[in-house]
């Protein structure tokens, strides 16, 4: 592996992300764009330019941009805040525009024309949190909004591995929760073992039930990766279309009784749901005649979530035109 030498895991990840079209921005430049406010994780300068790029028919005033940034900053740093951010991510934010004198929905990101967004990766991202100061190894931002944290350990260091990176991420959550209302998942790696987790302010004991390994670089060809889990994770989770798809269609908060839990897809659910979605879209476009399909599952693979993810993505597709979706279950607890 090219990243087994001491001190190169972080560099390797950044290099691979650059191959995927991410722009590397140095720490000092990122902090400058944050206007010196390290208490706020948003990169304000990039957020403003991103809003103008995505909403080209809107003439923003400074007051409009301030309203949007304040609306994001005042989202609570808890599970309900994550729910609120995901809603804004998918549907936009209602903004009372000064020049137009009326309210309009403003989008943070362009989820249809992916290249209309700015994808930036930076290192040593510092946040002066409400309960402590943190410095994350790698942070991925889209239009100035941090969406992913990566914490790295080097495989040549003795007595240190991916579990230490994982515990650091959990400490970041506790000390700088303001960052994790935006960050939707994190990656802990030592260059050999790599795990991802959907951040949701859970304690470590509970969080370990949500740690997963991403084993599929879909839609890239698996044979090119030679079972290199770190590269598979980078390409499968962090390629630009996959990342936006994961946050838009494959992350949700499940409420059961009085408890809410944040759910994020596993690699086989992501692949299966996207194959289902593409089959339907290709049939509508008359590229395929296959109207039926069969997916084999094994016990505990998340069959119910696969169907939920598939239905959600089809329901939100403009091309599918709000389809009728029938879900049949064989147990009352699945209703």
């Amino acid at each position: 592996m090219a990243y087994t030498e001491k001190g190169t895991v972080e560099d390797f990840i950044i290099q691979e992300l650059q191959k995927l079209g991410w722009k590397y921005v140095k720490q000092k430049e990122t902090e400058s764009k944050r206007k010196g406010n390290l208490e706020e994780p948003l990169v304000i300068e990039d957020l403003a330019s991103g809003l103008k790029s995505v909403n080209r028919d809107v003439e923003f005033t400074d007051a409009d941009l301030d309203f949007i940034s304040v609306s994001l900053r005042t989202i609570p740093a808890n599970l309900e805040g994550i729910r609120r951010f995901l809603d804004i991510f998918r549907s936009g934010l209602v903004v009372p525009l000064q020049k137009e004198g009326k309210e309009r929905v403003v989008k943070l990101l362009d989820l249809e024309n992916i290249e209309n967004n700015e994808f930036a990766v930076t290192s040593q991202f510092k946040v002066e949190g409400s309960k402590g100061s943190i410095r994350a190894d790698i942070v991925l931002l889209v239009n100035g909004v941090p969406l992913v944290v990566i914490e790295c350990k080097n495989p040549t260091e003795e007595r240190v591995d991916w579990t230490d990176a994982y515990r650091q991420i959990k400490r970041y959550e506790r000390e700088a929760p303001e960052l994790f209302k935006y960050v939707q998942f994190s990656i802990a790696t030592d260059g050999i073992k790599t795990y991802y987790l959907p951040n949701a302010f859970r304690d470590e004991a509970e969080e370990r039930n949500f740690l997963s390994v991403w084993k599929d670089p879909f839609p890239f060809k698996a044979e090119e990766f030679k079972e290199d889990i770190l590269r598979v994770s980078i390409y499968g989770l962090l390629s630009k279309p996959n990342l936006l798809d994961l946050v838009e269609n494959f992350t949700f908060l499940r409420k059961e009784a009085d408890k809410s839990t944040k759910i994020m897809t596993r690699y086989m659910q992501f692949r299966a749901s996207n194959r289902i979605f593409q089959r339907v879209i290709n049939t509508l476009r008359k590229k395929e005649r296959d109207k039926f399909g069969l997916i084999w599952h094994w016990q505990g693979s998340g069959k119910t979530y696969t169907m939920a993810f598939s239905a959600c993505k089809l329901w939100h597709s403009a091309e599918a035109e709000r389809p009728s979706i029938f879900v049949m279950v064989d147990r009352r607890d699945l209703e």
Side-chain angles (χ1 to χ4, degrees):
M1 296 179 183
Y3 47 87
T4 54
E5 296 180 6
K6 187 175 181 179
T8 61
V9 173
E10 184 178 313
D11 293 338
F12 174 82
I13 292 172
I14 291 172
Q15 289 167 8
E16 292 299 303
L17 287 169
Q18 288 176 300
K19 293 177 185 177
L20 289 170
W22 290 80
K23 177 185 176 182
Y24 175 63
V25 183
K26 294 182 179 179
Q27 173 197 351
K28 288 185 178 180
E29 184 180 347
T30 302
E31 291 184 359
S32 173
K33 289 182 175 183
R34 291 166 72 188
K35 307 298 184 183
N37 181 9
L38 299 185
E39 295 178 358
E40 173 51 52
L42 293 171
V43 179
I44 299 299
E45 190 175 311
D46 288 347
L47 175 64
S49 62
L51 288 166
K52 294 173 183 176
S53 177
V54 172
N55 305 275
R56 295 183 183 276
D57 60 335
V58 177
E59 188 176 352
F60 290 104
T61 65
D62 289 342
D64 297 331
L65 297 172
D66 286 342
F67 177 89
I68 295 167
S69 63
V70 169
S71 297
L72 293 173
R73 289 201 303 267
T74 53
I75 294 174
N78 54 30
L79 208 55
E80 186 53 42
I82 294 174
R83 187 195 305 276
R84 172 65 178 146
F85 173 74
L86 283 171
D87 182 56
I88 294 173
F89 180 96
R90 292 163 179 152
S91 305
L93 179 69
V94 177
V95 179
L97 296 171
Q98 297 294 307
K99 283 196 173 182
E100 295 186 9
K102 63 180 180 180
E103 292 184 337
R104 287 184 61 180
V105 175
V106 169
K107 297 294 185 70
L108 297 186
L109 301 94
D110 192 333
L111 296 174
E112 295 181 5
N113 182 9
I114 291 174
E115 294 302 328
N116 197 27
N117 303 292
E118 181 177 337
F119 293 82
V121 55
T122 190
S123 56
Q124 300 304 305
F125 189 83
K126 187 176 182 180
V127 180
E128 298 287 354
S130 56
K131 299 178 182 178
S133 177
I134 71 158
R135 191 182 292 274
D137 284 344
I138 298 174
V139 172
L140 278 65
L141 306 106
V142 183
N143 294 347
V145 181
L147 292 179
V148 181
V149 164
I150 306 176
E151 198 65 20
C152 311
K153 297 299 175 187
N154 294 305
T156 55
E157 293 182 6
E158 294 183 6
R159 298 184 296 278
V160 176
D161 61 13
W162 74 270
T163 59
D164 296 275
Y166 163 69
R167 283 191 286 269
Q168 275 190 262
I169 292 169
K170 296 308 295 178
R171 177 174 66 81
Y172 296 164
E173 271 191 349
R174 294 190 298 271
E175 296 185 0
E178 299 81 5
L179 174 62
F180 290 92
K181 63 188 178 187
Y182 306 121
V183 169
Q184 293 308 305
F185 64 92
S186 295
I187 296 173
T189 183
D190 58 16
I192 299 172
K193 292 185 178 181
T194 301
Y195 291 81
Y196 72 98
L197 59 140
N199 298 96
F201 305 109
R202 290 180 275 254
D203 61 39
E204 286 189 30
E206 184 184 6
E207 188 75 80
R208 284 187 174 271
N209 296 323
F210 292 87
L211 281 167
S212 300
V213 177
W214 196 270
K215 298 182 180 180
D216 189 353
F218 177 83
F220 301 94
K221 294 181 179 179
E223 56 268 23
E224 297 176 4
F225 294 84
K226 299 179 181 178
E227 299 184 356
D228 183 341
I229 291 299
L230 178 53
R231 288 191 72 232
V232 167
S233 300
I234 294 169
Y235 281 72
L237 287 167
L238 305 178
S239 64
K240 293 189 282 188
N242 279 13
L243 174 59
L244 296 190
D245 194 15
L246 284 163
V247 179
E248 181 187 11
N249 298 302
F250 293 89
T251 305
F252 71 95
L253 270 69
R254 183 191 72 188
K255 189 170 183 180
E256 190 172 9
D258 294 328
K259 184 178 181 180
S260 292
T261 306
K262 183 178 175 184
I263 302 297
M264 181 179 168
T265 186
R266 290 151 72 186
Y267 70 93
M268 61 281 195
Q269 296 164 331
F270 182 73
R271 185 183 182 94
S273 294
N274 273 307
R275 292 287 296 273
I276 291 171
F277 176 80
Q278 201 57 55
R279 168 68 62 82
V280 173
I281 295 302
N282 285 345
T283 301
L284 291 174
R285 293 172 179 171
K286 302 188 185 305
K287 291 183 177 180
E288 291 187 32
R289 293 184 178 182
D290 299 316
K291 295 184 179 181
F292 302 96
L294 181 67
I295 295 180
W296 291 91
H297 296 86
W298 62 92
Q299 189 172 3
S301 63
K303 299 180 289 293
T304 305
Y305 287 150
T306 299
M307 297 303 105
F309 293 135
S310 304
C312 178
K313 186 162 183 175
L314 285 166
W315 179 253
H316 288 109
S317 168
E319 195 167 355
E321 297 181 340
R322 292 292 175 107
S324 297
I325 299 172
F326 294 86
V327 181
M328 293 181 286
V329 297
D330 60 357
R331 298 196 306 275
R332 285 188 179 277
D333 61 335
L334 289 178
E335 289 185 24

